[in-house]
Amino acid sequence: MNGLRMAAITLMVGASLRSANAGTVGFPFLINQNVDAGGQPTDQWDHRAATDGNIWLVVWADAWSCEIYGIRLDAQGCLLDTVALPIAPNSVGNEATERRLPVAAWFQNAFWVVWQEYRGSGVRNGWGRRMNADGTYAHEHGLYVRL
C-alpha cells in the first residue's frame, strides 16, 4: 500500500485511538510513561499516529528530554514494542535544544515522522526520519526537511 495514511489523534491516560474512518480502536490504554533521571513521570505532548492498515505508530514529544519518541501497536491496540522507540533523541544529528510537534504518516511502504527542531540559532527547522514497519530505521540520522 503506497497511499498516504495519517490519523491525527489525541492521546492521554484514559484516551483511545480514534480514526475518522475506523472509529475507536480498542479500549483506553496508556501508550508509554517516560520518566526523568529521578524516576518521576514526565509530560508527553503532541501525540499523533499513523497506520499502514495493520500497524499503528504513535509518536509524541517528551517535555523533559525535548526528544521525539514513538511506539508501535497492532490493529487490536496491543503494544508491539516493550520500550519507547527513540525517533529523535539528542544523539541524532547535531545536538538540539528542543524537538517538538511530531507528525506521523505512512507513505511509500514506511512510516515518516517529521518534527520541529530548534538548535539555538533562533530559527526552528523541520526534521524527519523514516521508519520501517518492523521498527527499524531506514537511515541512521534525521533528515532536514525544507518546507
Side-chain angles (χ1 to χ4, degrees):
M1 211 179 299
N2 283 337
L4 179 66
R5 290 178 177 250
M6 187 169 145
I9 60 170
T10 302
L11 292 174
M12 304 180 307
V13 174
S16 54
L17 286 173
R18 292 193 60 81
S19 169
N21 297 334
T24 300
V25 178
F27 294 99
F29 54 93
L30 178 65
I31 294 291
N32 186 61
Q33 185 169 332
N34 286 2
V35 294
D36 63 18
Q40 297 300 310
T42 62
D43 287 335
Q44 298 170 21
W45 299 337
D46 306 318
H47 291 82
R48 299 291 184 267
T51 183
D52 68 353
N54 296 310
I55 296 173
W56 287 86
L57 173 66
V58 180
V59 297
W60 66 90
D62 182 72
W64 182 75
S65 65
C66 296
E67 298 171 326
I68 306 299
Y69 289 93
I71 205 156
R72 295 171 311 123
L73 300 100
D74 66 18
Q76 290 72 42
C78 297
L79 294 173
L80 296 174
D81 302 302
T82 57
V83 296
L85 304 170
I87 294 171
N90 279 329
S91 62
V92 173
N94 294 336
E95 291 185 27
T97 56
E98 178 182 295
R99 289 181 167 103
R100 62 184 191 148
L101 303 173
V103 178
W106 175 260
F107 182 68
Q108 295 185 343
N109 298 316
F111 288 108
W112 294 77
V113 181
V114 295
W115 61 89
Q116 183 183 78
E117 188 163 305
Y118 174 72
R119 294 188 173 188
S121 64
V123 177
R124 297 183 190 282
N125 292 308
W127 284 82
R129 198 164 193 192
R130 193 176 75 172
M131 178 187 287
N132 301 313
D134 66 2
T136 60
Y137 298 109
H139 48 81
E140 186 177 347
H141 299 288
L143 303 171
Y144 177 71
V145 179
R146 176 164 259 179
L147 302 175

